[in-house]
Amino acid sequence: MSSTTTTSNAYQVRNMNFFYGTRQALDGINIDIPAQSVTAIIGPSGCGKSTFLKSLNRIAEAETKVRIDGQISLFGQNIYDPKVNLTQLRRRVGMVFQRPNPFPMSIYDNVAYGPRVFGTKGNLDALVESSLTKAAIWNEVKDKLRTSAQGLSGGQQQRLCIARSLAVNPDVLLMDEPCSALDPIATLRIEELIENLRTQLTIIIVTHNMQQAGRVSQNTLFFNTDESRIGQLVESGLTKEIFFSPKDKRTEDYITGRFG
Amino acid sequence: MTMSKQSDDLTQPLEAGRTFFNTGMTILSGVFTLLGLIPLFLVLFYVLSQGFSSLNADIFTQLPAPSGTLGGGFGNAIQGTMIMVAIAASISVPIGVLTAIFLSEYSRDSGFVQYVRFGVNVLAGVPSIVIGVFAYGVVVTTSGGFSAYAGGFALAILMLPIIIRTTEEALKLIPWELRLGSFALGADRFNTIARVILPAALPGIITGIMLAVSRAAGETAPLIFTALFSQYWLEGLNKPTASLAVLIFNYATTPYADLQHKAWGASLMLLILVLIISIVARIVFRRRS
């Protein structure tokens, strides 16, 4: 399977509407998300940015009943095609959650979990080491790989979760406010990590922190709710343009801290 | 009540009435806690003091003495109880745990699950003697006699709702984020349950199983209808089988001091048995996780 197609867009989203039960959460989303770069999603609470992220690996439907119209394609393949194998999709699209969620097992087993689920047998030492190295946590845990992952600090746990995602060699990494439960130093380390991973895969990060979006991303999507509380994509573009010369008044108000 | 007496002095004590009420309620709840613990300690104390003297090696190795003679033991009853509880556990643990997994992991809120849950609660409330009569009708009358199988079957029905409820609770305590984390790595439901959720919930599940085992080991009514009793070592799983609970029931109601004494010993033995099973299970499963 060749995961490196020639198209420069990781995702193409066309006329996407998202419903939780009967309540619409997103309306008419159209966007291309470029590959091998970091895209930040910003917007006030309840604007649907996490919902949008969760539709990109179809994890939303694991949580509750949802309905999605329109089309989302990943490197040219429609991910809502009924024939899509969710297991395969989610292997290619990793996800890091708001609160670090290491499994209650050893550090080693956490990283080896994905490969084992996909039937990799035998010695995973090399893969575990390279994944932990990529997630910039190898030096801190190499002497205690067999101890419980839950003894790590919050920031270490979050980097472990990133290593866990990287172990199945994804093309895309979705991050849902990955630093909101972390202190500034741990946050900085995650941001450095994002910067280093950028050349290897596509990263899409939801963040409440505008400075963070400015620091880590090349492109930014600004979501907001309309009068009927339905989320919509207001503006998208290069991060520096969104931040320094927003076209939409709502974007400007949000960026400058007038609401949200 | 007015607020007129409020002052800015931080050291001003509570009004006398509130202080009195506070202290009174604290003492009251402490006293009732002690009252609640009294039966537990009395039972333990009585069983220990009455039963301890009758514990000796013969109890484990000897059969009950023929009526009218002293001595003997009840090794066959210990053996019978352990075998029937083992039969019951081997039926009820797989069914119970898998049912709980279905309720908690596969269809949390569907209508069908509500009915199953209701059914489990009803089953938990069925008196054990009714379960005994049921097992008598289903197993004893159709298989041609009292047997260890029938006893195990009755105990399994008794254990089932306890295991289902405690396992479901243990599974629900596992944070939803762990399941999402596993799904997000591409794991399917089976791998998520087998590799993440069950190991994490194992201590709670073991506790529930132990609770069910303790309950089953002490049940008398269902066994009277199904395993009956036997004066001899187990001759086969399809034969009437002795058990500690029925032995206690038989001996305690006789007018003979020696047999009453043995009943106390058997009660203590039952407590020790349950304690040992719990401790061993905890040690084994703690080491693994």
Side-chain angles (χ1 to χ4, degrees):
Chain A
M1 175 195 60
S2 70
S3 56
T4 49
T5 36
T6 46
T7 169
S8 62
N9 285 328
Y11 279 103
Q12 288 189 319
V13 181
R14 293 291 174 269
N15 302 320
M16 196 267 271
N17 299 311
F18 190 107
F19 301 84
Y20 284 113
T22 53
R23 192 179 67 80
Q24 188 167 10
L26 288 170
D27 181 38
I29 310 292
N30 282 292
I31 186 68
D32 291 344
I33 297 178
Q36 319 290 102
S37 73
V38 180
T39 300
I41 303 177
I42 60 171
S45 296
C47 68
K49 52 192 191 304
S50 282
T51 298
F52 177 70
L53 196 74
K54 286 175 184 165
S55 69
L56 296 179
N57 66 344
R58 296 185 57 179
I59 200 83
E61 60 206 72
E63 285 184 295
T64 175
K65 263 205 167 61
V66 302
R67 184 164 67 80
I68 289 137
D69 297 342
Q71 199 179 28
I72 301 181
S73 32
L74 171 68
F75 293 109
Q77 293 181 59
N78 178 12
I79 64 170
Y80 283 93
D81 187 320
K83 289 200 288 278
V84 162
N85 177 356
L86 283 183
T87 293
Q88 203 55 27
L89 169 68
R90 291 177 188 153
R91 188 198 62 71
R92 290 186 62 187
V93 184
M95 187 165 202
V96 176
F97 295 83
Q98 192 166 355
R99 282 214 340 244
N101 58 351
F103 301 135
M105 48 180 88
S106 74
I107 293 169
Y108 186 101
D109 289 341
N110 261 278
V111 182
Y113 179 81
R116 282 178 183 156
V117 161
F118 285 97
T120 311
K121 293 273 189 309
N123 196 326
L124 293 166
D125 289 359
L127 180 59
V128 168
E129 179 174 346
S130 72
S131 303
L132 288 167
T133 307
K134 275 190 223 161
I137 190 179
W138 171 250
N139 284 329
E140 291 158 63
V141 300
K142 65 182 175 209
D143 298 322
K144 49 177 181 179
L145 291 175
R146 297 290 170 188
T147 61
S148 170
Q150 288 175 324
L152 297 174
S153 73
Q156 289 174 324
Q157 288 187 1
Q158 197 61 301
R159 277 178 285 147
L160 175 65
C161 290
I162 295 173
R164 185 174 74 183
S165 298
L166 295 177
V168 290
N169 196 22
D171 300 320
V172 179
L173 190 58
L174 307 176
M175 304 177 106
D176 190 2
E177 298 185 42
C179 302
S180 64
L182 305 183
D183 65 52
I185 294 173
T187 300
L188 189 67
R189 303 212 57 174
I190 302 270
E191 289 182 9
E192 287 169 0
L193 176 54
I194 292 172
E195 178 64 30
N196 293 335
L197 290 173
R198 176 165 70 88
T199 52
Q200 300 162 43
L201 69 173
T202 306
I203 294 176
I204 305 171
I205 176 171
V206 167
T207 178
H208 261 299
N209 182 330
M210 230 85 66
Q211 286 83 3
Q212 181 170 67
R215 284 191 298 264
V216 301
S217 71
Q218 287 75 53
N219 293 281
T220 295
L221 316 181
F222 172 62
F223 280 73
N224 198 4
T225 50
D226 60 11
E227 314 76 51
S228 46
R229 305 287 302 154
I230 299 171
Q232 52 180 231
L233 176 60
V234 174
E235 189 168 350
S236 64
L238 292 173
T239 299
K240 48 180 184 284
E241 286 174 8
I242 296 269
F243 274 67
F244 296 112
S245 50
K247 296 186 188 71
D248 195 290
K249 182 77 170 64
R250 289 165 294 177
T251 315
E252 189 183 340
D253 287 351
Y254 184 73
I255 300 280
T256 52
R258 265 190 281 259
F259 81 102
Chain B
M1 208 180 282
T2 62
M3 304 284 280
S4 58
K5 278 175 77 182
Q6 264 193 349
S7 87
D8 293 337
D9 181 8
L10 290 175
T11 61
Q12 188 194 24
L14 276 179
E15 295 156 49
R18 286 175 63 186
T19 311
F20 181 74
F21 184 75
N22 247 339
T23 320
M25 289 311 280
T26 308
I27 293 172
L28 208 61
S29 63
V31 166
F32 279 99
T33 305
L34 285 179
L35 276 179
L37 288 176
I38 284 175
L40 171 68
F41 285 112
L42 276 185
V43 167
L44 285 179
F45 172 76
Y46 247 78
V47 171
L48 266 173
S49 63
Q50 301 280 333
F52 196 73
S53 59
S54 64
L55 285 192
N56 55 49
D58 281 356
I59 274 179
F60 302 95
T61 57
Q62 301 295 309
L63 289 173
S67 27
T69 58
L70 294 179
F74 43 80
N76 60 336
I78 299 175
Q79 177 200 35
T81 289
M82 287 171 79
I83 285 173
M84 284 191 288
V85 169
I87 292 173
S90 60
I91 298 171
S92 60
V93 169
I95 296 178
V97 171
L98 289 174
T99 303
I101 288 175
F102 176 77
L103 292 180
S104 151
E105 304 298 317
Y106 280 87
S107 43
R108 231 166 222 215
D109 296 313
S110 75
F112 177 65
V113 161
Q114 304 297 329
Y115 289 115
V116 174
R117 215 171 268 140
F118 179 71
V120 170
N121 287 338
V122 170
L123 187 60
V126 174
S128 59
I129 194 150
V130 176
I131 291 175
V133 175
F134 168 71
Y136 178 83
V138 171
V139 183
V140 178
T141 57
T142 56
S143 69
F146 300 106
S147 65
Y149 287 132
F153 175 78
L155 295 182
I157 295 176
L158 206 83
M159 289 169 70
L160 203 52
I162 306 177
I163 294 178
I164 295 173
R165 289 210 292 203
T166 51
T167 303
E168 194 190 352
E169 288 310 311
L171 291 173
K172 278 185 175 165
L173 282 179
I174 306 302
W176 182 246
E177 286 80 23
L178 286 186
R179 297 175 177 85
L180 278 190
S182 178
F183 293 150
L185 284 167
D188 52 18
R189 222 186 265 273
F190 172 78
N191 271 300
T192 303
I193 293 167
R195 292 171 191 254
V196 179
I197 306 304
L198 272 186
L202 200 59
I205 296 173
I206 295 300
T207 306
I209 292 173
M210 285 305 117
L211 198 69
V213 163
S214 321
R215 172 86 198 282
E219 276 296 338
T220 318
L223 293 182
I224 296 176
F225 289 101
T226 50
L228 202 63
F229 194 71
S230 155
Q231 297 291 326
Y232 308 103
W233 294 104
L234 189 69
E235 293 161 320
L237 295 177
N238 55 351
K239 292 277 168 20
T241 308
S243 61
L244 282 170
V246 176
L247 178 122
I248 295 168
F249 173 74
N250 288 342
Y251 282 12
T253 50
T254 62
Y256 308 111
D258 181 57
L259 291 185
Q260 289 174 1
H261 204 58
K262 284 221 169 51
W264 280 112
S267 308
L268 181 58
M269 201 51 234
L270 201 54
L271 284 183
I272 295 173
L273 212 62
V274 169
L275 195 68
I276 291 174
I277 296 172
S278 301
I279 292 173
V280 169
R282 258 167 208 282
I283 291 172
V284 168
F285 287 101
R286 184 157 298 170
R287 213 169 273 163
R288 226 189 260 176
S289 59

